[in-house]
Amino acid sequence: MDRDKILLTPGPLTTTLRTKLAMLRDWGSWDADFNAVTARVRASLLEIIHGHESHVVVPLQGSGTFSVEAAVATLVPRDGHVLVMDNGAYCKRAARLTTLMGRRCTVLDFDEATQVDPLVLDQRLRSDPSITHVIMIHCETGAGVLNPLQGVADVCAAHGKGLIVDAMSSFGALEIDARKTRFDALIAASGKCLEGVPGMGFVFIRKAVIDGCAGQSQSLAMDLHDQYVYMEKTTQWRFTPPTHVVVALHEAIEQFEREGGQSARLARYTSNYQTLIAGMAKLGFKPFLDPAIQAPIIVTFHAPADSSYNFKTFYSAARSRGFILYPGKLTKIETFRVGCIGAIGPDEIEQAVHAMALALQDMGITSAAPA
Ligand SMILES: *Cc1c(COP(=O)(O)O)cnc(C)c1O
């Protein structure tokens, strides 16, 4: 079978044929046609967060993490002090890269089955005035928790602290409105909910802080201020752009807009999520999170208690039927994850649930109930 497998993963994810076809052309990085595509992509991205008044957007080559690292190095002064609100694996990654960038970093711990808490943040900012910036992850893709962006942004604004938001797996699907929510930087990437292919990130930076970022990054390639100034002056990327990724993203954004934008994308992902939860419940699978804090982006399920279960066999059995699952990322208990995002709808999710039912049958498991 030469059909692509359905990716139930949080990026790369399943893309449409149109998006794939957009990559069948060669583009010159200095050419006006390509630079016009870059400009249109940037304008559309700002439109999605209603950020034309308040923010600029700076694209960067590489995977999403490159842009998180670049944002920290560009926005946080070398003698700055970053507080990372930590309820999962991507928070830990943000803390680690902050430390590696040579910035002082303090971690504010939360359980990975809970949201981060703006009240606890408020207390910490009161007790430690040396903190200059706060990092939060909007949707913690590790377990799938939706964190309270507005609450955290309000606390940061009240204390006059810079807020850096990793919105990688939420941007485009969950509402983010720069007119209502104050942040200094917000980071996302091409290969997540906009349903482009992976290869570039982009960082929204508040206009009021961008000029002050000059010279703060210790990196040449990851300096977003430099990338911004150069792009504004020349319309070009500073170094070789991921041309095919940019044109694929342009095509993906056109489809996003035609579908009805963020609210339509959220509606489709929500119906994917509901179809998944209902189908999995019939097989005995139990989600890890309280539905009240679950984002409709990626769902963590407990591993079945049956002693015949192991993830590798389950994964291959689902894979042979055309569906790619995702391993769990929790430290203490065994889980696996199923993504609800990508160019798929409830039909594909139903088929995926069916594939998992057959995978359990292969393994001789009659109920997927956890311990
Ligand atoms: C996908 C993702 C990233 C970026 O991961 P890469 O592997 O670098 O693309 C960062 N943060 C979150 C929350 C994500 O979901």
Side-chain angles (χ1 to χ4, degrees), residues 167-325:
M168 211 70 70
S169 64
S170 58
F171 177 80
L174 302 178
E175 193 196 12
I176 298 169
D177 188 337
R179 298 167 304 187
K180 293 189 231 162
T181 311
R182 181 184 181 274
F183 50 81
D184 279 7
L186 185 133
I187 307 129
S190 52
K192 300 260 181 169
C193 299
L194 289 179
E195 301 179 356
V197 302
M200 62 174 274
F202 43 90
V203 184
F204 298 96
I205 303 177
R206 206 150 64 86
K207 285 180 180 169
V209 305
I210 183 79
D211 290 341
C213 292
Q216 280 183 165
S217 175
Q218 70 275 46
S219 163
L220 173 72
M222 312 273 279
D223 185 339
L224 294 174
H225 178 267
D226 212 34
Q227 176 93 319
Y228 170 69
V229 170
Y230 187 85
M231 208 170 252
E232 291 297 303
K233 200 164 72 187
T234 66
T235 74
Q236 295 158 17
W237 294 59
R238 260 182 330 163
F239 309 127
T240 304
T243 44
H244 298 70
V245 176
V246 178
V247 295
L249 180 59
H250 179 257
E251 180 60 49
I253 291 174
E254 266 190 27
Q255 293 163 72
F256 169 83
E257 288 166 352
R258 201 159 313 139
E259 185 181 352
Q262 175 264 324
S263 58
R265 188 126 313 176
L266 177 62
R268 177 158 57 83
Y269 290 172
T270 302
S271 101
N272 289 351
Y273 163 72
Q274 285 162 348
T275 305
L276 177 69
I277 292 291
M280 294 295 270
K282 282 192 197 139
L283 304 179
F285 282 108
K286 194 169 174 288
F288 169 70
L289 290 177
D290 176 349
I293 62 167
Q294 169 78 59
I297 300 292
I298 186 166
V299 183
T300 299
F301 290 99
H302 288 278
D306 194 303
S307 61
S308 309
Y309 176 85
N310 83 70
F311 178 71
K312 272 198 177 144
T313 314
F314 184 60
Y315 175 90
S316 334
R319 183 182 189 281
S320 71
R321 293 171 171 99
F323 295 89
I324 300 291
L325 302 173

Side-chain angles (χ1 to χ4, degrees), residues 10-12 62-68 90-91 93 137-142 166-170 187 189 191-192 198 297 326:
S63 89
T65 305
F66 290 55
S67 284
V68 179
Y90 289 90
C91 306
R93 186 188 293 178
I137 315 293
H138 188 197
C139 170
E140 208 343 310
T141 319
D166 172 347
M168 211 70 70
S169 64
S170 58
I187 307 129
K192 300 260 181 169
I297 300 292
Y326 209 54

Side-chain angles (χ1 to χ4, degrees), residues 127-146:
S127 68
D128 188 348
S130 74
I131 292 161
T132 57
H133 292 75
V134 172
I135 297 182
M136 76 167 290
I137 315 293
H138 188 197
C139 170
E140 208 343 310
T141 319
V145 177
L146 175 62

